[in-house]
Amino acid sequence: MGEGKRKRGRKPKTSDEETKDFQHATTTANDVPSASVPTPATEPNPDANNPSSSRRGRGRPRKITKNENPRPNIGASPERRGTRHAEQNGDFTHATTAMTTTTAITTAAVVSEPVRWETVVKVVPSMDAVVKVFCVHTEPNFSLMWQRKRQYSSSSSGFIIGGKRVLTNAHSVEHHTQVKLKKRGSDTKYLATVLAIGTECDIAMLTVSDDEFWEGVSPLEFGDLPALQDAVTVVGYPIGGDTISVTSGVVSRMEILSYVHGSTELLGLQIDAAINSGNSGGPAFNDRGKCVGIAFQSLKHEDVENIGYVIPTPVIMHFIKDYERNGAYTGFPVLGVEWQKMENPDLRVAMGMGPDQKGVRIRRIEPTAPESQVLKPSDVILSFDGANIANDGTGDAWFHSRHGERIGFSYLVSQKYTGDYALVKVLRNSEVLVADINIGYEDIVNTQVLAFNGKPVKNLRSLARMVESCVDEYLKFDLEYQQIVVLHTKTAKAATLDILTTHCIPAAMSDDLKT
């Protein structure tokens, strides 16, 4: 699934200190733990806060006050199969994600938010629309393409919307051979049909042909995108019981998030309500009982706890309208370009930008994209559909004005539909060779230098000679992935000594490059 976040078109970076494992929240019924599946760094002790635990030894049990009673979350869940690595027993496991959720025990140092009962009461009438999803998966065998792997079962959550439709997660019904739904308080499972699967946004749409299923249930209504610190209530069927479960929290972050199922980046909400295995596909309600998102994944890392993610209503509504407009899911559009930040002030001057202009430089354009007919490399994108683009790639849109947060301009692109037109304002043919020292170039690492001041670089010695003998006013390095670095020659050479001293480097180059 997903490890770290990376920008579209940028060469991925790896860092052991920043590795993040995401996990889906789908309960797999017949999983068998395997040695190749990553396990949590530490296993919680269910008796750690139990005064009668045998770890205390002999003597009278410790007296417990009211403030010392922790609220444990739902217990550990089995590991879920993915579609990345094949095991010897025919099971699959995602390559980079540990699917084991652990019980988080609240200690005295962590203050737990009380349940907002007034919020729960408002959500209760809407909970009848939440259903439990049972799916039998049969995954393809990519080694023996004429065969399939052994089938397995999973359970997750979903909810009823208008038009006799049910929404759940795409990963809840991937490679499905049979899908059944069960309503709250019912003992009957109804056979469901999958209408559409949005792998990118991790949403699937189902329906049931039996009219009895729709009797006595009102579809959920969607609410607006919540703001930070707004209360949310997640409802679903996580592992640990057959009845419905309710957890509450607040919205703690809104940003472009990595959707691990589809390996895409779309708008997502981070909440502190518990999302466990089986919660996948369940709705997240606001304090007015309206659905504001779909629970779909959580962050598993030794340094974090209680971080879950919700698909927000803009992404959900895009999926629904896409299906209604085209009769099928066509996907989220992309601009088809790779871009470079313009945070270096002199680099902006190098591209001919004025002091009040901001934007991002196009590094590469997909040759099959329609934009390749109108855009060119080294164009500077100044705005998209009237929304100004900042030097770091964030956009000025209604999202910023309403929520006070800047968000990547790829969000503006994702709100379009396949075949739509957009107005893109660019700056072209205004380059000059001007730049300052290193500001804005911190993210460029382990990148090959292809040319210097327009001349190809044969090896490191030739590059060193060209830099030392350069009498031009500026140093321009053409890097791979269509990136450029421009430095002022006198300023760069004057700063060399200070850089060597600051970083304790004995010389600017080794002796074999000086000859």
Side-chain angles (χ1 to χ4, degrees):
M1 294 197 293
E3 297 221 353
K5 300 179 182 176
R6 72 184 183 95
K7 297 181 179 176
R8 189 180 301 277
R10 184 181 296 276
K11 185 175 181 181
K13 305 181 209 176
T14 58
S15 174
D16 294 337
E17 297 179 357
E18 298 181 355
T19 300
K20 297 180 180 178
D21 291 332
F22 289 93
Q23 61 183 17
H24 285 141
T26 305
T27 301
T28 303
N30 58 350
D31 285 340
V32 179
S34 174
S36 65
V37 180
T39 57
T42 57
E43 285 291 332
N45 184 1
D47 296 328
N49 292 330
N50 188 352
S52 61
S53 174
S54 59
R55 294 170 62 94
R56 292 187 53 81
R58 299 180 180 178
R60 297 179 60 187
R62 180 171 60 91
K63 185 177 180 180
I64 302 178
T65 62
K66 293 183 179 180
N67 293 332
E68 292 177 325
N69 281 328
R71 290 169 48 210
N73 292 332
I74 297 176
S77 63
E79 301 176 29
R80 174 184 175 273
R81 291 185 187 85
T83 56
R84 300 298 185 265
H85 283 322
E87 304 293 332
Q88 293 182 355
N89 60 0
D91 299 338
F92 281 91
T93 301
H94 278 286
T96 59
T97 304
M99 299 309 303
T100 301
T101 57
T102 58
T103 303
I105 304 299
T106 306
T107 62
V110 179
V111 179
S112 180
E113 288 289 337
V115 176
R116 296 176 175 84
W117 295 110
E118 65 277 8
T119 301
V120 176
V121 170
K122 293 180 180 179
V123 172
V124 167
S126 302
M127 289 197 298
D128 289 340
V130 183
V131 299
K132 190 169 185 178
V133 181
F134 300 88
C135 183
V136 178
H137 310 259
T138 307
E139 297 177 345
N141 188 334
F142 296 105
S143 298
L144 304 174
M145 301 185 67
W146 56 91
Q147 296 182 359
R148 285 183 172 266
K149 289 293 184 179
R150 186 183 65 184
Q151 69 179 22
Y152 65 94
S153 302
S154 70
S155 66
S156 55
S157 306
F159 58 95
I160 298 173
I161 63 172
K164 292 187 176 181
R165 296 171 296 184
V166 175
L167 293 185
T168 186
N169 282 146
H171 72 262
S172 300
V173 294
E174 64 173 349
H175 307 306
H176 63 279
T177 54
Q178 185 184 74
V179 180
K180 292 183 179 180
L181 305 180
K182 186 176 75 170
K183 296 192 297 183
R184 180 188 181 196
S186 173
D187 60 350
T188 304
K189 296 179 181 178
Y190 298 86
L191 188 64
T193 302
V194 179
L195 298 177
I197 295 181
T199 302
E200 296 165 302
C201 57
D202 202 1
I203 305 177
M205 182 183 294
L206 318 175
T207 190
V208 175
S209 58
D210 193 339
D211 293 334
E212 181 184 357
F213 176 81
W214 308 103
E215 295 178 358
V217 180
S218 300
L220 295 185
E221 296 181 359
F222 290 101
D224 296 330
L225 184 68
L228 291 178
Q229 295 185 336
D230 280 1
V232 290
T233 303
V234 178
V235 180
Y237 292 88
I239 188 173
D242 294 327
T243 58
I244 205 166
S245 171
V246 179
T247 56
S248 62
V250 298
V251 176
S252 55
R253 179 177 293 173
M254 288 182 288
E255 63 179 349
I256 297 297
L257 179 68
S258 175
Y259 282 45
V260 297
H261 179 66
S263 300
T264 54
E265 293 183 350
L266 296 171
L267 181 65
L269 299 181
Q270 176 181 308
I271 64 175
D272 62 356
I275 296 180
N276 299 287
S277 292
N279 271 124
S280 277
F285 295 100
N286 59 16
D287 54 4
R288 294 178 295 277
K290 293 187 176 181
C291 178
V292 294
I294 303 176
F296 74 117
Q297 66 187 32
S298 59
L299 178 60
K300 179 179 175 58
H301 193 275
E302 60 182 1
D303 295 332
V304 298
E305 59 183 39
N306 283 351
I307 293 183
Y309 294 98
V310 170
I311 304 172
T313 46
V315 179
I316 301 173
M317 298 309 299
H318 188 285
F319 171 83
I320 296 176
K321 291 181 180 179
D322 183 18
Y323 176 81
E324 293 175 346
R325 289 175 57 172
N326 303 289
Y329 172 75
T330 62
F332 287 75
V334 294
L335 194 57
V337 301
E338 299 174 2
W339 49 270
Q340 176 182 358
K341 293 181 179 180
M342 298 289 291
E343 294 178 305
N344 187 287
D346 290 328
L347 181 59
R348 295 194 295 272
V349 177
M351 303 305 297
M353 299 173 63
D356 297 330
Q357 288 182 317
K358 297 180 180 180
V360 293
R361 173 184 172 268
I362 296 179
R363 298 192 287 119
R364 178 181 174 272
I365 305 175
E366 291 289 344
T368 58
E371 293 80 4
S372 62
Q373 305 299 322
V374 292
L375 297 178
K376 298 180 180 180
S378 290
D379 282 350
V380 178
I381 301 178
L382 303 178
S383 66
F384 182 89
D385 262 356
N388 295 327
I389 308 301
N391 296 319
D392 61 352
T394 58
D396 251 347
W398 71 270
F399 186 92
H400 172 57
S401 60
R402 180 177 184 269
H403 299 278
E405 302 290 339
R406 300 194 63 87
I407 194 167
F409 86 97
S410 61
Y411 168 75
L412 304 176
V413 181
S414 67
Q415 293 304 294
K416 293 288 185 178
Y417 294 88
T418 302
D420 285 356
Y421 289 90
L423 180 62
V424 180
K425 184 179 180 180
V426 299
L427 182 67
R428 177 177 295 174
N429 297 330
S430 298
E431 184 173 351
V432 294
L433 294 178
V434 180
D436 201 356
I437 302 300
N438 297 337
I439 299 177
Y441 299 138
E442 296 86 356
D443 294 335
I444 301 178
V445 294
N446 298 329
T447 304
Q448 183 181 1
V449 179
L450 302 179
F452 173 77
N453 281 0
K455 298 179 180 179
V457 174
K458 298 179 179 180
N459 49 50
L460 186 58
R461 176 176 294 181
S462 67
L463 175 61
R465 289 177 179 176
M466 287 189 290
V467 172
E468 287 296 313
S469 61
C470 181
V471 294
D472 296 339
E473 187 176 1
Y474 306 106
L475 309 174
K476 181 181 178 182
F477 300 86
D478 293 317
L479 312 179
E480 59 181 344
Y481 309 115
Q482 289 74 41
Q483 299 182 97
I484 61 171
V485 172
V486 183
L487 303 173
H488 193 276
T489 303
K490 292 183 179 180
T491 306
K493 292 184 177 181
T496 300
L497 181 59
D498 292 337
I499 295 175
L500 296 177
T501 303
T502 301
H503 297 281
C504 301
I505 301 176
M509 64 184 72
S510 57
D511 294 336
D512 60 324
L513 298 180
K514 296 179 182 179
T515 57

